[in-house]
Amino acid sequence: MKTYKTSQIAEKCRVHPNTVRQYEELGFLPPVPRADNGYRQYGELHLEHVLLVKTAYRSTWLGGVIRQKALAVLSLSAAGSYKEAMRAAQEHLALVSAEREKAEIAARFLEEWAAVSDNLTGSDLRSWKTKDIANRLDITLDMLRSWERNGLISVPRNQDNGYRYYGEHEIRRLYVIRALRKARFSLMSIYTMFCHYDRGIREGLTGILNELPPDEENIFYNTNEWLTKIRSIEQSAHELISRLTVIKNLCSL
């Protein structure tokens, strides 16, 4: 059986040798036997697992249950539980696909909203209070305040009592903000897009969202080129399943 040194595994997988050792410490590689001199002796199975980890890590920055599922795939496969690992990988793919669908729906919603928003007339307006609009959109009052504070929306106030009131124009804008935030577009990305919209630009708004620099305050959920990234991550989720199949077949030889 062919064996590899740590440096050889690292070179083949295009990672640093310390990264390979870190994968082992995290429990993402099968047990690594040692030679009489104490050096690690990696095999083809370890090589495939390092590639598996690299593939899975492409989606871990999404966080939440998607990250948990990706890491579960690695731990289960390293332990030889390939059936459970495959199930986790398929669940991971389903979650990533759902995120991609949300991003695409939000983008379509944005373009549709931009096309009809200018056609609103006074007869379309209806006054909603802050609490009522939060319930309608299923968001918190803190979210509403944050969106207004960050310049995403300007809400008129009742001159008599100073209370905010929301008409159809504000409601449509809030629906767009909500959809884009669900798709994890950053506040800065949405703000910049609205700056274009408020200057009269009605075409290419999705492209503006897709090309903005990342929000430095929320770098973990970096939405720079979000639509492109989420589609790439979905491809990686498919690749994760393919690599698991290779590992399973290797172990059955």
Side-chain angles (χ1 to χ4, degrees):
M1 178 186 298
K2 183 176 178 58
T3 60
Y4 303 95
K5 298 177 180 179
T6 304
S7 59
Q8 292 173 319
I9 287 284
E11 182 178 1
K12 284 182 173 292
C13 297
R14 296 184 179 180
V15 297
H16 194 277
N18 287 341
T19 300
V20 178
R21 299 185 186 99
Q22 183 184 47
Y23 291 169
E24 181 183 356
E25 293 172 359
L26 290 171
F28 295 156
L29 303 183
V32 182
R34 302 264 184 162
D36 293 338
N37 57 12
Y39 289 170
R40 292 174 174 85
Q41 291 184 314
Y42 297 95
E44 292 294 332
L45 184 61
H46 300 102
L47 174 64
E48 292 297 333
H49 270 89
V50 172
L51 295 174
L52 184 74
V53 177
K54 286 187 62 179
T55 302
Y57 267 24
R58 293 172 193 162
S59 65
T60 54
W61 68 274
L62 287 171
V65 68
I66 292 179
R67 180 177 187 276
Q68 293 172 11
K69 284 294 180 183
L71 297 182
V73 171
L74 303 180
S75 298
L76 289 167
S77 182
S81 302
Y82 302 120
K83 183 177 181 180
E84 291 80 2
M86 183 63 73
R87 184 183 301 114
Q90 291 169 343
E91 292 172 352
H92 173 262
L93 171 60
L95 290 168
V96 173
S97 297
E99 286 294 324
R100 187 259 307 155
E101 290 174 2
K102 290 178 185 177
E104 292 179 345
I105 289 172
R108 290 197 300 270
F109 191 7
L110 168 63
E111 298 291 1
E112 292 170 3
W113 170 80
V116 303
S117 185
D118 290 336
N119 298 326
L120 295 178
T121 64
S123 61
D124 296 314
L125 299 180
R126 174 182 177 182
S127 177
W128 290 75
K129 295 180 180 180
T130 301
K131 184 177 181 180
D132 295 333
I133 200 66
N135 291 335
R136 177 174 175 175
L137 273 68
D138 190 26
I139 58 178
T140 67
L141 295 177
D142 286 341
M143 288 180 184
L144 274 176
R145 297 188 186 100
S146 173
W147 297 347
E148 185 175 5
R149 185 171 60 252
N150 283 280
L152 305 187
I153 187 169
S154 178
V155 185
R157 292 176 180 262
N158 187 308
Q159 294 182 353
D160 295 330
N161 54 28
Y163 291 164
R164 293 174 178 82
Y165 61 91
Y166 299 81
E168 188 65 21
H169 177 79
E170 287 76 32
I171 291 172
R172 286 178 182 269
R173 189 160 178 136
L174 286 171
Y175 267 115
V176 171
I177 297 170
R178 179 184 183 277
L180 295 175
R181 287 299 286 162
K182 286 287 186 180
R184 289 180 176 161
F185 285 100
S186 69
L187 292 176
M188 182 57 70
S189 296
I190 301 171
Y191 171 77
T192 306
M193 181 277 297
F194 274 131
C195 285
H196 284 74
Y197 175 84
D198 292 336
R199 289 201 299 267
I201 298 173
R202 295 295 181 267
E203 297 181 356
L205 297 178
T206 300
I208 293 171
L209 281 167
N210 204 38
E211 296 172 0
L212 292 172
D215 179 356
E216 295 297 336
E217 294 182 357
N218 198 15
I219 195 68
F220 185 74
Y221 293 111
N222 176 2
T223 55
N224 182 33
E225 299 180 350
W226 171 251
L227 294 176
T228 302
K229 284 186 176 182
I230 193 63
R231 289 167 183 158
S232 175
I233 290 172
E234 188 175 25
Q235 293 176 352
S236 295
H238 283 286
E239 183 183 342
L240 191 67
I241 293 175
S242 298
R243 290 200 175 281
L244 266 178
T245 302
V246 170
I247 289 174
K248 181 179 180 182
N249 292 339
L250 186 62
C251 291
S252 63
L253 294 178

